[in-house]
Each structure stands twice: as C-alpha cells, then as structure tokens.
Amino acid sequence: MKRRWISWWIANMMWIILFAAGTVVVWTREVDGAGVTQTPQLKLLAFIVLLIAFIFPLIVQAIWLIFNFKANKHVL
C-alpha cells in the first residue's frame, strides 16, 4: 500500500476512535460540565452536536479518498 493510503486509514481510525470515545462520554455521563443532570433528551441533543462536529472531518476524509483514487488511476 502506498503511504497516502496508509495515512488515510490511520486518520480514519483516529476519527473513529475519537467519535466512539465522545459517544461513550455523552451517553454514560450523569451530569455535564455545567452541572446539569442529563436526561435522555439532553443526551440525544449532545450526541447530535457531536455528529455535527464530526461532519467536517468526514467531508475532508471523503475528499482525501477521492484524491487517493484519482492518484491511483494515474499510477496504473
């Protein structure tokens, strides 16, 4: 595998681990940083905010994937 593919996979694994850790924190905490008791509705809202925050890295990774595919076609 080329270095750009290895880098792409490493970056994806990093984002997946960060997203999973954030999800675990959101769903397992009883009280947030402001001292508000977390209800299921507030946990869902916090999860939606987390999803929105991870949309930008998802877009960057998709563009990087397209770039990798186009770069591979030129090599073959």
Side-chain angles (χ1 to χ4, degrees), residues 5-18:
W5 280 107
I6 293 170
S7 299
W8 185 81
W9 279 108
I10 289 171
N12 274 332
M13 291 300 120
M14 178 194 69
W15 286 116
I16 289 170
I17 291 168
L18 285 173

Side-chain angles (χ1 to χ4, degrees), residues 24-57:
V24 167
V25 167
V26 165
W27 285 108
T28 58
R29 68 182 179 184
E30 297 295 322
V31 179
D32 70 358
V36 178
T37 302
Q38 295 292 287
T39 64
Q41 293 86 4
L42 289 175
K43 288 181 181 184
L44 181 61
L45 182 64
F47 180 71
I48 291 170
V49 170
L50 183 68
L51 281 174
I52 291 170
F54 274 86
I55 286 175
F56 178 71

Side-chain angles (χ1 to χ4, degrees), residues 54-66:
F54 274 86
I55 286 175
F56 178 71
L58 178 71
I59 292 169
V60 171
Q61 288 298 100
I63 292 169
W64 192 2
L65 176 66
I66 292 168

